């Protein structure tokens, strides 16, 4: 019963077995390795200890035969000594390469959904294309002068390299995008889509819009709130572009919603947080 688990210390368990079967074998020294358990000298010592203890009265000594005990001990020790270790269980030097590979578990590669494959295909096509792209700019009205200068330079660089810029007509980010695209002196590369009619736009925006060649107004949204009209406007811009660049704060709910919709539409989204 003490040798049922072969992962424990075999010499110690062997001694425990002798103590249980033959009382009086406490004087038997445990070997330092399992190799001693198979040596004739050690087996002889086991027999001598067993004969010495047979003279002492024990209620269970008559139930065991000395030859059976010795035979069972040797068989169990030999079987335990032949157990493979972890390395041997994985790699046997006698195995061929094919036999070893067949035992190695192979993890199955996760399958991508059709939508992910479509997105990766579109992304790869956009990155590999050397031609210009349609880029939509979104951003908050509450933008400092330094940030507006950076956005203006970015818009100028994109328009100068042949990309088509789409944006709206609000102050702040949109105004900086319009100024940068106008500096590039490519009026056909800038399209401004308004959420409502021109008359609904702020005075600063109307003055700047007079310099824009392509202005798309939506007077049918004049009866809507500015939030709902802006949401419709942003969706129209998303439908016209391949890439979206957005400047927002973490609490800019409409802009973050626009970025999520752009991602759902498989657009490339670059989101800059101003806070």
């Amino acid at each position: 019963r003490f040798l049922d688990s072969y992962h424990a210390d075999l010499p110690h368990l062997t001694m425990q077995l002798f103590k249980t079967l033959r009382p009086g074998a406490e004087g038997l020294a445990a070997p330092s390795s399992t190799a001693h358990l198979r040596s004739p000298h050690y087996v002889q010592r086991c027999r001598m200890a067993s004969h010495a203890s047979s003279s002492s009265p024990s209620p269970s000594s008559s139930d065991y035969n000395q030859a059976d005990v010795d035979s069972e001990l040797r068989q169990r020790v030999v079987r335990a000594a032949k157990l493979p270790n972890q390395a041997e269980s994985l790699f046997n030097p006698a195995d061929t390469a094919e036999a070893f590979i067949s035992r190695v578990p192979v993890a199955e590669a996760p399958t991508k959904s059709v939508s992910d494959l479509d997105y990766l295909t579109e992304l790869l096509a956009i990155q590999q294309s050397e031609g210009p792209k349609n880029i939509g700019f979104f951003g908050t009205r509450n933008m400092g002068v330094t940030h507006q200068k950076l956005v203006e330079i970015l818009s100028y660089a994109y328009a100068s390299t042949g990309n088509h810029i789409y944006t709206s007509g609000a102050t702040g980010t949109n105004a900086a995008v319009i100024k940068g695209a106008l500096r590039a002196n490519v009026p056909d590369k800038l399209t401004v889509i308004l959420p409502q009619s021109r008359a609904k736009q702020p005075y600063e925006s109307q003055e700047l819009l007079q310099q824009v060649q392509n202005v798309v107004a939506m007077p049918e949204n004049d009866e809507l709130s500015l939030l709902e009209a802006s949401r419709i406007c942003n969706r129209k811009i998303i439908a016209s572009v391949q890439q979206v660049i957005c400047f927002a704060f973490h609490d800019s709910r409409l802009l973050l919603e626009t970025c999520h919709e752009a991602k759902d539409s498989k657009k490339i989204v670059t989101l800059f947080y101003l806070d």
Side-chain angles (χ1 to χ4, degrees), residues 84-272:
N85 55 31
Q86 293 182 350
E88 292 173 346
S89 63
L90 179 63
F91 176 71
N92 188 348
D95 281 346
T96 62
E98 293 77 7
F100 172 71
I101 294 175
S102 63
R103 293 205 309 272
V104 177
V106 180
E108 296 183 359
T111 58
K112 292 183 175 294
S113 62
V114 177
S115 59
D116 292 337
L117 294 177
D118 292 341
Y119 175 75
L120 292 176
T121 303
E122 182 176 353
L123 175 62
L124 183 61
I126 293 176
Q127 291 180 340
Q128 289 181 344
S129 63
E130 299 179 357
K133 299 183 289 290
N134 296 337
I135 302 176
F137 278 84
F138 300 92
T140 178
R141 295 179 175 86
N142 303 319
M143 178 176 283
V145 177
T146 303
H147 285 152
Q148 289 189 33
K149 291 297 183 182
L150 294 175
V151 173
E152 185 176 337
I153 293 173
L154 183 61
S155 175
Y156 169 80
Y158 271 113
S160 299
T161 53
N163 298 282
H164 197 118
I165 306 299
Y166 285 81
T167 190
S168 190
T171 58
T173 302
N174 297 142
V177 172
I178 295 174
K179 291 178 182 178
L182 291 175
R183 283 181 52 195
N185 198 22
V186 281
D188 59 324
K189 297 299 182 181
L190 173 63
T191 299
V192 178
I193 301 179
L194 304 178
Q196 296 171 323
S197 62
R198 283 199 182 212
K200 288 283 188 177
Q201 305 307 310
Y203 173 77
E204 299 84 358
S205 299
Q206 293 187 22
E207 185 178 3
L208 187 60
L209 290 174
Q210 293 178 359
Q211 308 175 44
V212 180
Q213 176 178 317
N214 302 320
V215 178
V216 179
M218 290 188 287
E220 64 274 12
N221 297 334
D222 287 351
E223 300 299 327
L224 301 176
S225 64
L226 180 59
L227 178 63
E228 292 298 327
S230 298
R231 182 176 286 109
I232 296 175
C233 176
N234 292 350
R235 289 172 180 171
K236 188 169 184 178
I237 295 176
I238 291 176
S240 304
V241 301
Q242 299 166 298
Q243 184 175 352
V244 168
I245 299 177
C246 183
F247 301 87
F249 295 96
H250 281 83
D251 58 352
S252 302
R253 300 178 61 180
L254 178 60
L255 293 174
L256 297 181
E257 176 186 327
T258 300
C259 291
H260 284 297
E261 291 185 3
K263 290 181 179 179
D264 293 339
S265 301
K266 305 299 182 291
K267 309 296 182 180
I268 301 176
V269 178
T270 304
L271 176 58
F272 294 96

